[in-house]
Amino acid sequence: MFRMMRKYHRWVSIVITLPFVITLVTGIILATRGFNTWVQPEYAPVKTNLTVSFDQILEAAKSVPEAQIQSWKDVSQIDIRPAAGNIRLRAKTTQWELQIDGATGQVTGKGIRRFSTLVALHEGAYFGPMIRYGIFFPSALGVFFLLVSGVVIFVQPYWVRRKKA
């Protein structure tokens, strides 16, 4: 039984190598997002009253050419924090994120936000549902198998010695 487990342990590890490496590397990068400005931009704190209208938010977003926002259809998400007067707007196609002052409607920060792309890579969703559920999900099960079989393979010599004693 243990010989067979070693054989499967070896083959499963070979089969899941690429998806596991992608998941591992993106997971490490995502774990650094709190201090890694390459993943998501860092902005100066804003503490104002929230008084701008959505029209002013859109006009501010249009003023940043890199974001390529011309209408609300070009916006994927708006994060509004009323207590801080902070507004963050994300472009749908360019990965740009803008911080807008909630009192003046001025853009106070801008930068590329790679977080969503990294999460999609991490989950396998970046490659489509066939790859996500056909390769990445089974690879996750393979990693679980490697964990269990690795523990069994590690403990096996102790079991054998204990049985002999």
Side-chain angles (χ1 to χ4, degrees), residues 131-143:
I131 301 296
R132 180 182 190 177
Y133 297 114
I135 294 177
F136 275 73
F137 181 69
S139 294
L141 296 175
V143 171

Side-chain angles (χ1 to χ4, degrees), residues 58-59 61-65 67-75:
L58 182 58
E59 287 307 312
K62 286 180 181 180
S63 73
V64 179
Q68 298 177 7
I69 294 173
Q70 299 304 316
S71 71
W72 287 115
K73 290 179 182 178
D74 302 323
V75 175

Side-chain angles (χ1 to χ4, degrees), residues 17-54:
T17 298
L18 183 61
F20 183 66
V21 167
I22 291 171
T23 303
L24 181 69
V25 170
T26 55
I28 290 168
I29 294 170
L30 286 168
T32 67
R33 74 179 179 266
F35 57 85
N36 184 347
T37 58
W38 184 81
V39 176
Q40 63 186 30
E42 186 177 348
Y43 303 111
V46 176
K47 193 71 173 164
T48 61
N49 292 326
L50 194 60
T51 59
V52 296
S53 69
F54 280 100

Side-chain angles (χ1 to χ4, degrees), residues 84 91 149:
S149 63

